[in-house]
Amino acid sequence: MFEFIVFWVFAAILVFAGLMVITARNPVHAALFLVLAFFSSSALWLLLEAEFLAITLVLVYVGAVMVLFLFVVMMLDINVAQLREGMFRYWIVGAIVAVAVALSITSVVGPERMGAGTMPPPPRHEADYSNTKELGAVLYTEYVYPFEIASVILLVAIVAAISLTSRRRENTKSQDPAAQVAVRRRDRVRLVKMPAEGTTAPAPTKQEPTKQEPANREPASGEAR
């Protein structure tokens, strides 16, 4: 009974935070409500005995992604009033997209597929049960190929994002991999002949001292004083 009450409390908070994310007028407030939604989702993961997913959601999304998102939003100084201009012009398209998304989600997580009858509560485990170990065993055995494909897609996305945002700037230092590969030894190494230990080095040649003029010399005619 206690877990049932806790589930509905966090579920209500999650729904409220999700609605405030899309209805808040201030982008910073929307980001903070998204942080609240992440915390509520992690609490629901804990109820399902998925401790690894819960702590990952808090550390990765709340601790890194949302902090970066808030930093970017506050640094950009977005003009909210300018963004709202003409917003009602596209409400029909927005409503159609929202209905299509709702129907797609319902068809996947509806009561026919993930109802109380088809998805019973998870069985209770002992105290030494490791959710991280079980998840890793499944991820790297049965789903190893989808995991590797997803990692390659993310790597390509990172490289593409860096390539699109990089610009040529003056007075910047950069490396040329082609020039580094084509380098030769004689271009970088110079052999210097030095006397061995125990031998006397040749005496340096004496230079005749330059003749200095006296400081209290009277300037000649035509010279500036």
Side-chain angles (χ1 to χ4, degrees):
M1 185 63 182
F2 175 74
E3 294 182 0
F4 184 77
I5 296 174
V6 172
F7 170 77
W8 282 109
V9 168
F10 281 106
I13 295 175
L14 178 59
V15 173
F16 169 74
L19 291 176
M20 292 303 298
V21 167
I22 61 177
T23 56
R25 297 183 177 181
N26 193 334
V28 178
H29 294 169
L32 293 177
F33 277 113
L34 187 57
V35 171
L36 178 61
F38 286 150
F39 273 109
S40 302
S41 300
S42 63
L44 296 179
W45 282 116
L46 286 175
L47 290 177
L48 294 174
E49 297 184 2
E51 296 85 4
F52 177 76
L53 296 178
I55 195 65
T56 302
L57 185 62
V58 172
L59 292 179
V60 176
Y61 286 92
V62 179
V65 176
M66 288 311 304
V67 172
L68 180 62
F69 183 73
L70 281 174
F71 179 77
V72 172
V73 169
M74 296 177 69
M75 289 295 294
L76 288 180
D77 193 14
I78 301 175
N79 190 359
V80 182
Q82 186 177 2
L83 293 177
R84 292 177 187 169
E85 295 180 357
M87 183 180 62
F88 294 100
R89 192 181 307 168
Y90 305 100
W91 71 271
I92 298 178
V93 179
I96 295 174
V97 172
V99 172
V101 171
L103 291 177
S104 301
I105 296 176
T106 305
S107 62
V108 175
V109 297
E112 296 82 6
R113 295 177 179 269
M114 295 187 178
T118 56
M119 299 291 293
R124 296 298 177 184
H125 300 282
E126 299 179 357
D128 58 348
Y129 174 76
S130 177
N131 177 261
T132 306
K133 180 180 179 181
E134 297 294 333
L135 182 62
V138 174
L139 185 63
Y140 292 105
T141 54
E142 298 181 11
Y143 299 98
V144 60
Y145 290 113
F147 178 77
E148 294 296 335
I149 292 173
S151 63
V152 171
I153 293 174
L154 291 176
L155 179 61
V156 171
I158 293 173
V159 174
I162 295 174
S163 302
L164 291 175
T165 55
S166 63
R167 299 181 180 87
R168 293 288 182 180
R169 297 182 177 88
E170 297 180 356
N171 301 326
T172 56
K173 297 180 179 180
S174 60
Q175 295 181 352
D176 188 359
Q180 292 177 349
V181 173
V183 70
R184 295 173 295 179
R185 182 183 62 85
R186 60 174 178 268
D187 297 335
R188 297 294 181 89
V189 180
R190 182 170 60 92
L191 298 179
V192 179
K193 186 176 181 181
M194 300 180 63
E197 295 182 359
T199 60
T200 58
T205 58
K206 293 184 178 180
Q207 296 181 357
E208 296 183 358
T210 58
K211 193 174 182 181
Q212 298 181 356
E213 296 180 358
N216 53 359
R217 181 178 66 86
E218 291 291 332
S221 59
E223 292 183 357
R225 293 181 178 272

